[in-house]
Amino acid sequence: MIIIADGGSTKTNWCLVTEEGKKVYFNTEGYNPYFSGTEYIIQSLSESLPTDLEKENITEVNYYGAGCSTPEMRKIVENAMQAVFTKSKIYIGHDLLAAARALLGNNEGFAAILGTGTNTCLYDGRDITHNIDSGAYILGDEGSGCYIGKKLLTDYLRGYMPEAVRKIFWEEFKLTPDDINEIVYTQPRANRFCASFSKFVYDNNVNIEYSRNLVRTSFEDFFKNLVTHYPNYQKYTFNCIGSVGYNFRNVLEEVVVENGMTVGSIIRSPIDNLVKYHLELATSQL
């Protein structure tokens, strides 16, 4: 039995493939090694993996995760996975590679993640060949759920939010400016906190123009600061994975076309395509 997993900063999607070819899906929280250490990951998995999961019969774990972009960060996750899946070969890859393989298979092209965070790359059909650093949630992550959430919170703090939206925001969250600053600057996982407000933007229909402009500006910043800096970017189709890109795809598609690219695949989660990739195109290897 093998496992393929795609881990974002918020959630990890897992698929167990049995020897008979049956696929069993389950979820845990996300494990970004910049925010979660080895011991934390071990503890979380011990509490959240299915109780009937036969870990001793799993021969291979292919885990792609947010933040797993350097050997040091991959080692944090690898050590945790090896402690949990003691009889398995462990392969750790970056979630951006998962996105590229899920979106493009063995074909070259452009791939992006627009979820809690942002990432982009050019892909040659097997590996990432060019990646512009997103800057993560403090310095960048334009177009992400965190970026949209930060813009919303900034408008709230500065009094720029339309009164009707501000009223609903208060009724739903009961957060004062001091509460927000305390959480963002002193509590762990501020990226998840900020990203959680992208759902409010998606759900809020009181002022559609405000919400739409907030999202559009975020995607315009994403193209201006990241996508358009790839060489000959307009020759590629725009392919994207992530809940933010998927949920706001009507706005995203407009910005894609305005920047001279053709819309390709925009999907919520890579897990199904990633499983297909491992079973049909690159079995047993990252």
Side-chain angles (χ1 to χ4, degrees):
M1 296 193 294
I2 69 170
I3 281 180
I4 298 98
D6 169 63
S9 291
T10 302
K11 182 176 72 172
T12 300
N13 296 310
W14 302 75
C15 179
L16 170 71
V17 182
T18 69
E19 293 177 354
E20 297 77 27
K22 180 182 178 182
K23 301 180 182 68
V24 180
Y25 294 88
F26 52 93
N27 300 317
T28 66
E29 68 172 301
Y31 306 112
N32 188 321
Y34 283 95
F35 310 117
S36 301
T38 296
E39 292 305 317
Y40 177 88
I41 298 171
I42 293 171
Q43 179 65 30
S44 175
L45 289 175
S46 68
E47 295 173 354
S48 56
L49 288 174
T51 56
D52 59 350
L53 184 65
E54 299 175 356
K55 295 190 286 291
E56 67 278 2
N57 294 327
I58 296 169
T59 59
E60 183 179 304
V61 175
N62 300 282
Y63 179 91
Y64 298 83
C68 296
S69 55
T70 68
E72 293 78 14
M73 292 298 105
R74 287 193 290 272
K75 193 65 176 175
I76 291 172
V77 179
E78 180 184 351
N79 289 343
M81 295 296 163
Q82 197 68 74
V84 174
F85 301 100
T86 57
K87 296 184 178 181
S88 303
K89 293 181 180 179
I90 307 295
Y91 301 91
I92 306 297
H94 196 203
D95 65 340
L96 184 58
L97 181 59
R101 289 178 170 177
L103 288 164
L104 298 164
N106 284 341
N107 300 312
E108 67 173 12
F110 174 89
I113 296 172
L114 286 171
T116 299
T118 295
N119 220 329
T120 53
C121 73
L122 297 181
Y123 172 74
D124 66 2
R126 177 172 172 79
D127 294 307
I128 294 168
T129 58
H130 191 180
N131 166 242
I132 298 173
D133 198 311
S134 72
Y137 80 100
I138 292 177
L139 300 179
D141 267 357
E142 293 90 335
S144 69
C146 184
Y147 193 79
I148 292 169
K150 285 194 298 182
K151 291 177 71 67
L152 180 83
L153 292 174
T154 299
D155 283 356
Y156 179 71
L157 293 174
R158 294 174 177 171
Y160 298 162
M161 186 182 286
E163 186 56 36
V165 180
R166 185 180 182 87
K167 181 179 179 181
I168 294 175
F169 183 91
W170 171 254
E171 290 174 349
E172 183 167 343
F173 301 111
K174 295 292 193 296
L175 288 169
T176 67
D178 286 342
D179 292 334
I180 292 171
N181 282 318
E182 195 273 335
I183 293 170
V184 168
Y185 292 107
T186 69
Q187 300 298 314
R189 297 177 180 83
N191 61 324
R192 290 189 196 175
F193 172 74
C194 293
S196 69
F197 294 100
S198 64
K199 185 179 186 301
F200 175 82
V201 176
Y202 180 75
D203 291 340
N204 173 43
N205 293 316
V206 173
N207 190 319
I208 295 176
E209 181 180 5
Y210 169 75
S211 298
R212 185 180 179 84
N213 285 342
L214 194 154
V215 173
R216 168 175 269 277
T217 300
S218 298
F219 288 152
E220 288 172 347
D221 291 346
F222 168 65
F223 267 83
K224 177 183 177 182
N225 297 331
L226 289 167
V227 180
T228 59
H229 291 270
Y230 283 94
N232 303 312
Y233 73 95
Q234 292 177 327
K235 79 174 186 178
Y236 303 104
T237 59
F238 179 87
N239 304 285
C240 175
I241 273 175
S243 58
V244 172
Y246 183 82
N247 290 337
F248 296 112
R249 61 190 179 280
N250 57 331
V251 181
L252 178 59
E253 288 174 357
E254 292 177 2
V255 178
V256 169
V257 172
E258 289 170 5
N259 281 275
M261 294 183 79
T262 301
V263 177
S265 297
I266 299 177
I267 61 178
R268 181 185 296 275
S269 170
I271 190 65
D272 288 324
N273 289 357
L274 195 58
V275 170
K276 181 179 179 180
Y277 177 89
H278 274 274
L279 295 180
E280 299 180 8
L281 301 177
T283 304
S284 300
Q285 59 178 336
L286 274 175

